[in-house]
Amino acid sequence: MRILVVEDEPDLAETVAEGLRGEGMAVDVCHDGDTGLEMATVHDYDVVVLDRDLPVLHGDQVCLRIAEDPGVQARVLMLTAAGGLEDRVDGLDLGADDYLGKPFAYLELVARVRALGRRARPAAPPTLSRAGLVLDTTRRTASRDGRALSLSPKELGVLEELLRADGAPVTATHLIEKVWDAHLDPFSGVLKVVVHGLRRKLGAPAVIETVPGHGYRI
């Protein structure tokens, strides 16, 4: 999944981002509402973790505009130090999909982000399989013909997107949008390197096919 964290406390934002990256997610970070709204409308995020009390543009307005924009499919998890019932109701009324008060338990944050991510895209089973490959999307483990695979987070991310496509080609643009954050130069060749490494680890016979002009498929 690709996540946007909009939080004006830099230390908290980076802590949340690094934790989510450790769970295999691609995460972008910004610290004010105006930038957050712009990023949410430019990139294809699954979940926006949105602080409510933001500078420049208040989190309430960011949430409302995301909810009103038909081009934005991301789910919104609103964070706030004001965790009373009235505050939660207000946040949900603005279009937030979930609400978490500060301070929060990190494991709960991860669980809520994962749940929202599943709702952001067409539902996929917890286990994806094709051509002898099996990927457990919850445990983040993969195997081929019963042989456990030792894959990096990026390799797992690419494999998941290819398996989700169920044989249809997946473009390089889609893979970059879903597996990497905004710091990746799309012309850097990193995707090709990861696909090459993934092919090597999957072994023979090759199952990842390059579709000229369309991307990759399994």
Side-chain angles (χ1 to χ4, degrees):
M1 291 189 294
R2 188 168 181 185
I3 313 298
L4 174 63
V5 176
V6 190
E7 167 60 60
D8 66 332
E9 297 180 31
D11 290 344
L12 177 59
E14 287 304 322
T15 297
V16 170
E18 286 304 311
L20 294 175
R21 288 173 185 139
E23 298 292 328
M25 305 178 196
V27 185
D28 295 329
V29 175
C30 65
H31 305 298
D32 68 80
D34 190 55
T35 304
L37 179 61
E38 179 181 3
M39 293 178 70
T41 55
V42 169
H43 299 289
D44 185 16
Y45 294 107
D46 295 292
V47 179
V48 177
V49 179
L50 178 67
D51 184 32
R52 190 172 187 184
D53 190 16
L54 290 170
V56 185
L57 184 65
H58 195 274
D60 287 357
Q61 286 300 310
V62 177
C63 183
L64 186 61
R65 295 189 193 182
I66 288 176
E68 291 177 341
D69 190 332
V72 179
Q73 302 301 314
R75 304 290 180 165
V76 175
L77 172 59
M78 185 172 279
L79 302 178
T80 181
L85 175 60
E86 184 176 340
D87 298 291
R88 294 197 299 271
V89 171
D90 286 346
L92 295 171
D93 282 345
L94 288 165
D97 298 279
D98 201 356
Y99 201 100
L100 190 59
K102 298 179 183 178
F104 51 82
Y106 179 71
L107 290 178
E108 182 180 6
L109 172 67
V110 172
R112 288 174 182 260
V113 168
R114 285 200 183 282
L116 289 176
R118 288 192 293 268
R119 291 164 53 190
R121 291 195 276 171
T127 301
L128 300 169
S129 61
R130 186 177 179 83
L133 295 168
V134 178
L135 173 64
D136 186 321
T137 61
T138 302
R139 295 182 175 84
R140 309 302 295 167
T141 59
S143 63
R144 181 176 187 184
D145 297 326
R147 172 177 60 90
L149 301 170
S150 179
L151 304 182
S152 71
K154 296 304 182 190
E155 289 167 343
L156 279 168
V158 169
L159 181 60
E160 178 176 350
E161 293 303 318
L162 293 176
L163 289 173
R164 284 178 65 98
D166 196 26
V170 181
T171 67
T173 299
H174 177 88
L175 291 172
I176 289 172
E177 276 285 338
K178 289 300 182 183
V179 183
W180 278 269
D181 59 33
H183 295 97
L184 177 71
D185 179 355
F187 302 104
S188 67
V190 169
L191 175 59
K192 290 183 178 180
V193 172
V194 170
V195 171
H196 176 77
L198 182 57
R199 282 172 164 156
R200 177 176 54 81
K201 291 181 180 180
L202 295 181
V207 291
I208 298 179
E209 175 186 358
T210 299
V211 184
H214 296 281
Y216 304 94
R217 69 181 172 197
I218 292 177

